[in-house]
Amino acid sequence: MTRDRQAALVLVIVSSIYLIFSYRIPSFEIAVMDSDALPIGLGWLLLALSIALFFFGEKKEDNQSQPISRKEWGVIGAVLGSTLVYVFLLEWLGYILVTIPFILGVTALLGYRRWMVNVAVAVGFTGITYYAFNYLLNIYLPQGILPF
Amino acid sequence: METLESLLYGFQVAFTPENLIFVLIGVLAGTVIGMLPGLGPISAIAIMIPMSYGMSPASALIMMAGVYYGAIFGGSTSSILLNAPGVAGTVATSFDGYPMAQQGKAGKALAIAAICSFIGGTVGVVALILVAPGLAQVAVSFGPPEYFALMLLGLTAIASLADGSTIKAFIAAVVGLMLATIGIDQQTGTQRFTFGTPELMEGIDFLIIALGVFALAEVGFMIINRKESLFSSWKEVGSLKLTKQDIKELAGPTGRQSIMGFFLGVLPGAGATIASFLAYITEKRIAKDPSQFGKGSVKGVAAPETANNAACTGSFVPLLTLGIPGSGTTAVLLGALLVYGIQPGPLMMNEHPDIFWGVITSMYVGNMILLILNLPLIPYIARALLIPRPLLISLVILFCMIGVYGVSFATFDLYLLIIFGVVGFLMRRFRFPAAPLILAFILGSMMEQSLRQSLTLSGGDWGIFLERPITLLLLGFTALSLIWPLLKQWIAARKRNGNVAA
């Protein structure tokens, strides 16, 4: 199956779910156009467009987008996972304590081996952004368990 | 006369030392970010928004205009030096810019790009000053039906002009509109698609979608290509000097394309990419020696570079006078304005003259800084491309995180950001354009509001859209932009059949 068809099938599911929830929006009698009108219209429109994509999309697979090897998917997944862990720990441990290991870890994970540079960037970037946001811009990044 | 006075006032705003520094920062940051392959003006602006939080709205917008220009110029730098356009609007620049670089004339190509950008931008600013006040006056009389028709036109235009599949562009636009329906309905107070989550009551912040679908999605591709050494194709920049002959050759294309680019930029949906391609094709067609194009022609660099900058300036016209963005980038700029608490539109010129005129003049100043400062610095700025990819990837992820956290202070939004990053990555993988999505998302709530206001005005009668001449005209254009892709296919098919028959 071509990519366009795969995408079309996913979109049919998405539009169906969206439509189900659109019909569940509580109605409000007085309004000339109620709040569920647009979502319902959009839901049907997306459904129609995804069916159109299924039938009129690319018939042949183009070779322009390069295939991603299993190993590369693994790397992408690992970066994604690290980012999720980062968000999970951010407010708990604080910006400084999660950002430094994040930079060190992700950079090393991606194959960078010059540790001196890595450490310098991790500490420098984290320190400068933390100082700039918390003390110059008054936008408070999470302090976490550190006293400053 | 009034315009001249306002203009001088604008220069006063733009020339305060503070604002000059902000333009400078904006232009430099924009150049560096725009140069990185994949990160274009949308990412550049979205990344820089958090830096502008503490500033006055005028200064913030002045900086953003600089980021925008810088990003376009940075895109042309990587087009010329590496044949890796950072921005769609500079793809056409690489056709002749990269061959020039391979011939050891990168410096000359960069100089042409900078000078032509400056001319295109400057002519654009003058045209903007002439056109904007008049248009704003017309726009004051616009009611909800006109606004609705106008936004609908903008949306269909960008979808039908997007490169690649039109169906996919429309799907992206519809998904953008759907995302805009999340949150409390402004008219009835009904909750839509919030699933009882308090974080979703206010709707999704545009910054989450902009950073996710553009910047964070690009990270995925940066990871895949991280081992590619950008500098394998790096040559010495060489002299920046132009000969008299070069300047003679430049005059024609820059003159024509700055005007044409500006008007293409004003049109909703067209923008820098189309302007630059059209400029390249036109100049090639009317050139005495078209065979030079693609082999390092001076004109081939000049035409798209003039046009894309003129178009960028042109795209500010609908944003500043109507409050309606005509492209993905101006949509993000509009989002930024709303963050600063400013609603652009026909009234902005009177209510916030400092912003209106300050921005226009700072565009001029930004262009000048690009020329004077950036050009000689380019060989050094280009070294940003030497930052090891793995480090760059971690830092881009963090910039996105800080940007979102700085608005909402909620980790919920960070999870949303990651989700949109994944969605954006898959969209790129499956070849869905992202610009219609962000434009539709930002226009979505405005469109719904004006649609419902119109219907409330008419008591539910859809005929209101056919009674008003401007609305009717705009809807006519909308229909045309819907039919256009079909027409294009039909013509292409006929041509092919004709060739076969012959």
Side-chain angles (χ1 to χ4, degrees), chain A residues 3-4 6-8 11 14-15 17-18 21-22 25-28 31-39 42-46 49-50 52-53 56-58 62 64-68 71-73 75-76 79-80 83-84 86-91 95 99 102-103 106-112 114 117-118 121-122 125-126 129 133 137-142, chain B residues 50-55 165-168 170-175 177-179 181-182 185 187-193 195 216 219-221 223-228 388-395 397-399 401-403 405-407 409-412 414-415 418 422 425-426 428-432 444 447-448 451-452 455-457 459-462:
Chain A
R3 287 227 186 117
D4 276 9
Q6 293 170 7
L11 284 164
V14 170
S15 49
I17 296 173
Y18 184 85
F21 284 105
S22 304
I25 294 172
S27 59
F28 193 80
V32 173
M33 187 185 167
D34 206 355
S35 47
D36 59 351
L38 186 78
L42 289 174
W44 285 111
L45 186 60
L46 186 64
L49 284 169
S50 9
L53 180 66
F56 303 114
E58 291 286 330
D62 50 18
Q64 284 186 326
S65 45
Q66 69 215 82
I68 302 175
K71 197 178 150 216
E72 287 302 296
W73 278 117
V75 176
I76 294 175
V79 173
L80 183 66
T83 314
L84 285 168
Y86 177 85
V87 176
F88 184 71
L89 295 176
L90 180 65
E91 287 193 330
Y95 178 76
T99 306
F102 179 82
I103 297 178
V106 171
T107 310
L109 182 79
L110 294 169
Y112 191 66
R114 289 167 66 185
V117 181
N118 198 349
V121 171
F125 176 87
T126 310
T129 45
F133 276 89
L137 297 171
N138 291 328
I139 296 169
Y140 296 103
L141 298 171
Chain B
M51 318 280 161
S52 66
Y53 284 149
M55 300 178 186
S165 152
T166 313
I167 297 180
K168 287 183 179 175
F170 276 107
I171 288 176
V174 172
V175 171
L177 289 174
M178 285 177 160
L179 290 171
T181 60
I182 296 172
D185 174 23
Q187 275 198 324
T188 60
T190 317
Q191 287 187 30
R192 297 192 293 195
F193 311 108
F195 309 105
L216 211 51
V219 166
F221 289 89
I223 292 175
I224 299 167
N225 300 324
R226 69 183 180 282
K227 286 179 194 119
E228 266 175 29
R389 287 295 185 92
L391 265 178
L392 189 65
I393 292 167
S394 344
L395 298 187
I397 296 174
L398 282 170
F399 269 118
M401 295 281 167
I402 299 173
Y405 194 83
V407 201
F409 302 101
T411 44
F412 178 86
L414 293 180
Y415 288 117
I418 297 172
V422 173
F425 178 77
L426 292 175
R428 285 271 310 267
R429 226 19 227 154
F430 285 85
R431 298 176 164 272
F432 283 85
M447 271 177 87
E448 186 181 14
L451 173 64
R452 287 160 79 175
L455 289 176
T456 311
L457 274 177
D461 179 12
W462 289 81

Side-chain angles (χ1 to χ4, degrees), chain B residues 141-170:
Chain B
S141 68
F142 279 19
E146 280 83 8
Y147 270 107
F148 176 72
L150 198 63
M151 288 186 268
L152 196 64
L153 173 63
L155 210 52
T156 52
I158 196 174
S160 58
L161 291 173
D163 41 48
S165 152
T166 313
I167 297 180
K168 287 183 179 175
F170 276 107

Side-chain angles (χ1 to χ4, degrees), chain B residues 8 20 50 60 74 77 124 127 135 175 205 212 234 253 270 277 280 288 306 310 320 332 375 403 425 442 449 459:
Chain B
L8 285 176
L20 276 176
T77 307
L135 198 61
V175 171
D205 195 279
W234 176 263
F277 276 105
Y280 187 83
K288 277 187 204 129
T306 313
L320 292 176
V332 175
L375 189 59
F425 178 77
I442 288 183
Q449 224 180 338

